[in-house]
C-alpha cells in the first residue's frame, strides 16, 4: 500500500510542473502526440517546441491499467523530438503528462 501511495504522490507532484493544459508545451508553441497502445512503453513526440526548451514524457505504470502504480520518467528532449518512458514488462503505461525538465 505504501508503494502505491508513494507512486501516486510522485505523479501528483510531477503534475504541478505540467506544461500546457493539453499536455504540450503551450508557452513554447509545441504540439505533442502521445502513443501508449496498451503496452509498457509510452512515447510523446512534440514539434514546434522552442529551441532550448527541455521536456520529458511521464507515464504511470500499473499491472492492471488503473491509477495507483509508480511513475516512469521518459528521456529528456531539448526542442522538438520524442521522449520514451518504459515500465517493467509486467506493467502497463498510463499517460501522466509532459513536464519541463
Amino acid at each position: 500500500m505504501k508503494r502505491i501511495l508513494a507512486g501516486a504522490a510522485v505523479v501528483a507532484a510531477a503534475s504541478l510542473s505540467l506544461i500546457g493544459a493539453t499536455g504540450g508545451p503551450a508557452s513554447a508553441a509545441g504540439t505533442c502526440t502521445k502513443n501508449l497502445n496498451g503496452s509498457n512503453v509510452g512515447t510523446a513526440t512534440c514539434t514546434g517546441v522552442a529551441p532550448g526548451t527541455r521536456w520529458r514524457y511521464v507515464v504511470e505504470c500499473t499491472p492492471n491499467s488503473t491509477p495507483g502504480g509508480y511513475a516512469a520518467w521518459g528521456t529528456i528532449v531539448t526542442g522538438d523530438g520524442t521522449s520514451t518512458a518504459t515500465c517493467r514488462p509486467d506493467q502497463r503505461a498510463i499517460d501522466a503528462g509532459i513536464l519541463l525538465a
Side-chain angles (χ1 to χ4, degrees):
M1 182 69 163
K2 287 182 182 178
R3 181 179 178 151
I4 290 173
L5 292 176
V10 168
V11 172
S15 67
L16 297 176
S17 299
L18 286 173
I19 44 180
T22 61
S27 63
T31 301
C32 300
T33 302
K34 300 172 187 174
N35 185 8
L36 294 168
N37 289 337
S39 73
N40 67 319
V41 178
T43 61
T45 300
C46 297
T47 58
V49 179
T53 300
R54 293 169 36 100
W55 60 275
R56 67 180 359 160
Y57 189 39
V58 179
V59 296
E60 185 173 354
C61 302
T62 180
N64 58 6
S65 298
T66 58
Y70 65 93
W73 301 83
T75 51
I76 295 175
V77 178
T78 303
D80 293 349
T82 299
S83 177
T84 302
T86 305
C87 301
R88 294 189 316 249
D90 63 332
Q91 305 287 302
R92 292 293 168 250
I94 298 173
D95 178 33
I98 296 172
L99 298 110
L100 289 173

